[in-house]
Amino acid sequence: MKTPITLLLALLPFTLSGCREKNTDDPSKPLPPIVITPPAPGDLRALITEQLATGNKQVIIPPGRYPVESTREGHLVFSNLTDTEIIAENVELVCTSTNRAVHFDNCTNVTLRGLTIDYDPLPFTQGKISAMAPDKRWIEFEVADGYPDTNLKGPFQIYNPATATLRRGDARWSDEIKTLGNRRYRVTKAPRYRFDPAVDTQEIGDILIAKSTSGASGSPHAVELRNCRSVRLEDITLFASPSFGFLERGCHGTTYLRCVVDRRSPENDPIPRAIPRMRSLNADAFHSKDAPQGPAILSCTARFMGDDAVNINGRFHFVRGSTGNQVRIAVIDRHTTIRQGDAVQFLPFAGPRPPDAKVIRREPDPESFTPQEKSFIRTLSLDADMRASLLEGKAQYFILTLDREISLPPGTLIACSDRLGHGFSVKDCDFGENRSRGILIKASNGEISGNRITNSRMHAILVSPEFWWMEAGMSSNLIIQNNHIKGCLETPIEIHALGGNRRILPAGALRNISILNNRIEDSVWPLIHVTSTSDLTMDGNILPKTPTGHVNGNNGKPTESILLENCDLTKPGR
């Protein structure tokens, strides 16, 4: 049935929803492409909506710069599209609120190609440091012309204007920002701050960056996919995002091809600014959550963002204890990712990793946390927001019946093995110049190969479950090969597993990992650190013979470039 354009626009004024029309000459083929002329100058949403309403399966947007107003749903929202291609070459979407730029919801076999995304106002601000306390406990800065000064908040980053790179790593800041007038502000370190000349290296004249929000509220991630299958994002460029650049939740087999996350150069910036942009995105570039099949991130670039380049993970849930084949869990999220029939895996609080199991029944647990359980949770090494979500009435409680008996002490974590991003690939990418990790992986059955990772302030490649964030899972069957890593300020390749007690787990927590033919330069020692891994293969890695950077491990005494703890090495080598 053909949906009238007027009805579609009336029902979905801010959502672009595809009608599954057939080509009447040959129903097996999509309708021919049509070059769109905007019905009103700059009205990008109406332009795309009207063409999708006619049943077109290939939409070509005329080149141009399109400012778009937003609501809580975002600037452009695509729902229930199938077998559709949207070509946006030389098209720039200008987001006027610091919320979602593009949202794909429940879409299948959809391609978006060529789009550039920027924000005006930007989701961050920049200003020069004009004054500091003698111990640098507080810092005053003045917002530069061309940058917003609305709703400023941390965390803050500080850049060296001479090199246009980060001056220092993270610091703990107070939430309070004091307004001094005339676009001037004062920010303060956290109460327990103690001056450290080796760390607190910021200077008068450095550039301080803070987050800024404006316009409609809503999801803060630039491109967001939910419950999509076989979506392709090709040649997409992101110059800014209030949080993540690309976020996918519950997606199957997304492809990111030649996508670029980078700061915009002054020559290409349509807004005059007193200081060139130092930052691209406020947080991760590519973030995959709960994917039944992980993404393929191919020939992409991600630089100068405020957090990781790549993070592929699922969710852990808190185990209260077990009896026989029944496990009692607490779930922070509104909906648990564990369902009847799912395979599950465990991050032990201590000791060997328990064998995986299968859920044969899930039912509500009428009993909430006891005072004793709450006291125990307060002792755990958890992010403050995670702990608060468990303790302040936001948790849901379930009883899982497994296909076998199991003994799980409180503090064990459990995850669905089927929604962790397995089968991912990160290949031939260029990452770096960021405050955090290059590639962070918790998934299995994947490949990290041919990437260049430069000047990440933390690990270039980190494979690890994270109790702190309750990010899953327990990786197996990984190939890490032919990567070129340079200038990392923490161990470049780190494979490790810690229990809830913060101690290294025995071998077998992580399994069947190959580290092959990687080149590492000008980075801290040990250059490769692996723990808790069975069936570990290492060969052909090109490493310097003497330290060329700061020492990160081995009690400050670098004796070897490779450090192994609780590992079963099946093929030794560099």
Side-chain angles (χ1 to χ4, degrees):
M1 176 179 178
K2 194 169 183 178
T3 304
I5 296 173
T6 54
L7 177 60
L8 178 67
L9 293 176
L11 291 175
L12 300 170
F14 296 104
T15 300
L16 313 180
S17 213
C19 298
R20 296 171 176 80
E21 290 292 315
K22 298 293 184 181
N23 189 324
T24 54
D25 296 328
D26 184 350
S28 67
K29 296 182 179 180
L31 291 170
I34 294 177
V35 178
I36 303 169
T37 300
D43 193 351
L44 181 61
R45 182 184 293 114
L47 182 158
I48 301 173
T49 301
E50 291 198 7
Q51 293 306 311
L52 290 175
T54 67
N56 290 327
K57 293 298 183 181
Q58 187 179 67
V59 175
I60 302 177
I61 303 173
R65 191 169 187 264
Y66 295 82
V68 174
E69 297 297 321
S70 178
T71 66
R72 285 188 62 86
E73 288 74 23
H75 294 79
L76 299 177
V77 181
F78 300 90
S79 296
N80 302 312
L81 285 182
T82 60
D83 305 322
T84 302
E85 184 179 38
I86 301 171
I87 300 175
E89 294 173 355
N90 298 311
V91 172
E92 181 173 341
L93 166 63
V94 182
C95 300
T96 54
S97 295
T98 50
N99 66 0
R100 190 162 46 201
V102 180
H103 184 203
F104 290 95
D105 181 39
N106 196 36
C107 294
T108 301
N109 195 29
V110 172
T111 297
L112 174 64
R113 180 181 303 128
L115 183 67
T116 295
I117 296 172
D118 204 356
Y119 284 74
D120 184 21
L122 287 171
F124 63 88
T125 196
Q126 296 184 180
K128 285 189 176 181
I129 295 175
S130 55
M132 289 189 293
D135 65 352
K136 303 185 180 181
R137 179 177 298 275
W138 55 260
I139 296 174
E140 292 180 2
F141 70 100
E142 181 177 351
V143 174
D145 290 343
Y147 290 93
D149 66 341
T150 56
N151 303 315
L152 303 188
K153 62 179 182 178
F156 310 104
Q157 291 177 341
I158 297 174
Y159 276 73
N160 180 343
T163 62
T165 58
L166 283 165
R167 167 74 77 179
R168 56 160 299 155
D170 290 344
R172 295 185 181 273
W173 300 88
S174 168
D175 292 335
E176 181 183 2
I177 301 178
K178 185 177 180 180
T179 302
L180 304 177
N182 297 320
R183 295 168 63 86
R184 294 172 58 246
Y185 296 87
R186 175 181 285 191
V187 296
T188 305
K189 302 285 179 58
R192 294 184 179 181
Y193 167 76
R194 296 292 182 272
F195 175 69
D196 182 347
V199 175
D200 299 301
T201 57
Q202 60 267 27
E203 301 175 357
I204 301 292
D206 282 354
I207 298 169
L208 186 144
I209 298 180
K211 292 182 180 180
S212 173
T213 58
S214 58
S217 60
S219 176
H221 312 295
V223 179
E224 190 166 349
L225 292 76
R226 287 180 181 264
N227 302 321
C228 292
R229 190 178 187 92
S230 301
V231 168
R232 293 180 62 87
L233 300 176
E234 300 181 6
D235 302 302
I236 309 300
T237 298
L238 297 182
F239 286 129
S241 173
S243 187
F244 297 157
F246 299 92
L247 169 64
E248 57 172 62
R249 298 180 186 269
C251 293
H252 191 286
T254 307
T255 298
Y256 302 89
L257 179 63
R258 296 185 301 273
C259 293
V260 174
V261 169
D262 208 346
R263 58 191 182 190
R264 196 162 197 167
S265 68
E267 298 77 18
N268 184 247
D269 197 335
I271 308 298
R273 307 186 197 276
I275 302 172
R277 300 192 201 186
M278 297 289 111
R279 175 183 285 181
S280 57
L281 315 181
N282 285 351
D284 295 356
F286 300 89
H287 194 112
S288 174
K289 196 95 178 172
D290 307 331
Q293 180 181 329
I297 303 172
L298 310 175
S299 302
C300 292
T301 298
R303 308 188 321 141
F304 298 104
M305 53 280 176
D307 212 329
D308 306 321
V310 173
N311 188 348
I312 300 175
N313 64 82
R315 307 168 202 240
F316 278 129
H317 305 303
F318 186 84
V319 173
R320 304 171 66 186
S322 66
T323 303
N325 66 341
Q326 289 194 329
V327 180
R328 301 176 67 209
I329 69 170
V331 175
I332 291 176
D333 306 285
R334 186 171 54 183
H335 300 291
T336 176
T337 55
I338 300 176
R339 307 164 191 166
Q340 183 173 318
D342 284 345
V344 289
Q345 59 179 233
F346 308 94
L347 173 62
F349 185 77
R353 172 181 166 182
D356 295 354
K358 184 176 181 179
V359 177
I360 59 177
R361 186 167 66 251
R362 188 193 79 185
E363 54 192 324
D365 185 347
E367 298 183 12
S368 60
F369 281 131
T370 65
Q372 292 79 11
E373 287 176 315
K374 289 184 176 181
S375 294
F376 173 62
I377 290 170
R378 292 188 183 100
T379 69
L380 299 177
S381 180
L382 281 171
D383 170 72
D385 290 338
M386 295 290 172
R387 180 182 290 107
S389 294
L390 281 171
L391 296 178
E392 296 175 5
K394 298 180 181 179
Q396 296 185 79
Y397 305 95
F398 296 93
I399 299 174
L400 305 179
T401 302
L402 305 183
D403 62 347
R404 62 179 181 83
E405 292 190 358
I406 193 167
S407 178
L408 300 175
T412 302
L413 300 184
I414 184 173
C416 171
S417 301
D418 301 323
R419 282 175 280 281
L420 297 175
H422 296 339
F424 73 92
S425 58
V426 183
K427 298 182 179 181
D428 303 319
C429 295
D430 187 356
F431 298 146
E433 302 293 351
N434 58 311
R435 62 154 287 277
S436 191
R437 286 74 60 102
I439 301 171
L440 174 57
I441 299 296
K442 288 96 189 268
S444 297
N445 307 328
E447 182 176 351
I448 303 168
S449 65
N451 303 288
R452 180 176 176 83
I453 306 170
T454 307
N455 296 340
S456 286
R457 293 194 70 91
M458 298 183 188
H459 309 292
I461 299 171
L462 172 61
V463 177
S464 175
E466 287 191 294
F467 191 95
W468 175 266
W469 294 111
M470 296 184 73
E471 286 188 354
M474 312 296 290
S475 296
S476 301
N477 307 322
L478 300 184
I479 297 175
I480 302 170
Q481 64 181 358
N482 300 322
N483 300 285
H484 186 187
I485 300 169
K486 186 175 182 179
C488 284
L489 298 185
E490 291 190 14
T491 291
I493 298 179
E494 178 89 10
I495 318 292
H496 76 243
L498 302 178
N501 62 0
R502 301 300 298 164
R503 296 180 181 177
I504 295 172
L505 293 173
L510 309 175
R511 302 165 182 165
N512 191 25
I513 295 177
S514 297
I515 304 173
L516 309 171
N517 304 318
N518 301 282
R519 177 186 292 272
I520 302 177
E521 304 176 58
D522 300 328
S523 298
V524 300
W525 280 40
L527 301 172
I528 300 175
H529 181 204
V530 186
T531 81
S532 315
T533 302
S534 60
D535 298 321
L536 171 66
T537 300
M538 299 180 60
D539 196 25
N541 298 292
I542 303 173
L543 311 176
K545 295 182 179 180
T546 57
T548 54
H550 297 290
V551 176
N552 186 49
N554 208 18
N555 297 318
K557 298 177 182 179
T559 57
E560 297 291 341
S561 56
I562 297 172
L563 176 61
L564 305 180
E565 300 179 86
N566 294 1
C567 291
D568 296 333
L569 189 61
T570 58
K571 186 174 182 180
R574 290 184 70 85

